[in-house]
């Protein structure tokens, strides 16, 4: 029995316990939320160590970005959309402990299908980007038994003495 499900709601305040998800797909979620950094922190909080994260978004350095500028003048569905720079997203991921597999993969829409591999010419004009990452696992070693400081030798501890500059 699979326990996979879909969550529809506010990505900036996820009602899930920390470390409870194995994978998260954010399909244009950062483009449409009010604070993308808060959303990234929330997703990283609920992602377990070693968990996978797939982010898809509109590339601001493309025709979608030009379309977004036009939407500032003419009110439409793109008026409230904020595109996240994919290279800035890589920095956010590094700070949050998520290692990107291959960096940013740019794609373009072609007859309703996404064609990946547009970045081969290193022209960052693909309409959409994908970033796949894995949350770093924190290594811990559990200590067996108890550690006692009762018989520690404290005779070799250096105690600072007052100096001329600091008489106290």
């Amino acid at each position: 029995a699979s326990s996979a499900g879909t969550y529809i709601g506010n990505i900036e305040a996820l009602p899930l316990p920390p470390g409870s998800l194995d994978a998260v797909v954010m399909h244009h979620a950062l483009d449409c939320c009010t604070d993308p950094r808060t959303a990234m922190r929330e997703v990283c909080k609920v992602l377990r160590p070693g968990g996978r994260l797939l982010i898809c978004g509109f590339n601001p350095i493309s025709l979608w970005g030009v379309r977004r500028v036009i939407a500032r003048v003419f009110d439409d569905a793109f008026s409230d959309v904020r595109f996240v720079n994919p290279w800035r997203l890589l920095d956010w991921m590094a700070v949050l402990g998520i290692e990107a597999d291959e960096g940013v993969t740019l794609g373009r829409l072609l007859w309703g299908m996404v064609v990946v591999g547009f970045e081969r010419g290193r022209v960052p004009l693909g309409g959409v980007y994908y970033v796949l990452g894995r949350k770093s696992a924190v290594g811990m070693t559990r200590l067996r038994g108890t550690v006692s400081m009762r018989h520690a030798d404290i005779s070799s501890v250096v105690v600072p003495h007052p100096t001329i500059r600091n008489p106290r």
Side-chain angles (χ1 to χ4, degrees), residues 10-141:
N10 187 0
I11 195 168
E12 297 164 7
L14 295 173
L16 302 168
S20 61
L21 298 180
D22 293 328
V24 175
V25 176
M26 299 174 67
H27 192 265
H28 298 289
L30 294 177
D31 296 332
C32 299
C33 69
T34 353
D35 188 5
R37 287 179 289 194
T38 302
M40 283 294 296
R41 279 193 298 269
E42 279 293 308
V43 168
C44 290
K45 181 179 79 173
V46 299
L47 198 62
R48 71 165 177 80
R52 305 291 288 177
L53 175 63
L54 174 64
I55 301 171
C56 171
F58 289 115
N59 184 6
I61 313 169
S62 68
L63 290 178
W64 286 109
V66 173
R67 174 70 180 92
R68 169 66 182 98
V69 172
I70 293 171
R72 289 182 184 174
V73 179
F74 303 104
D75 193 30
D76 66 355
F78 276 86
S79 296
D80 295 329
V81 175
R82 298 167 113 186
F83 296 157
V84 176
N85 185 326
W87 289 274
R88 178 173 291 162
L89 180 63
L90 290 177
D91 291 340
W92 294 351
M93 289 171 61
V95 167
L96 294 170
I98 297 180
E99 300 168 1
D101 286 355
E102 295 181 12
V104 176
T105 302
L106 296 173
R108 56 189 165 103
L109 295 173
L110 186 64
W111 298 295
M113 300 184 330
V114 175
V115 179
V116 177
F118 189 66
E119 79 282 355
R120 287 188 186 140
R122 298 292 176 211
V123 179
L125 300 177
V128 292
Y129 65 85
Y130 301 94
V131 178
L132 180 64
R134 178 183 305 272
K135 185 173 181 181
S136 302
V138 178
M140 292 189 339
T141 305

Side-chain angles (χ1 to χ4, degrees), residues 144-164:
R144 297 179 190 259
T146 59
V147 177
S148 175
M149 293 297 289
R150 287 186 193 165
H151 303 293
D153 183 19
I154 59 170
S155 62
S156 62
V157 175
V158 178
V159 179
H161 296 285
T163 62
I164 296 174

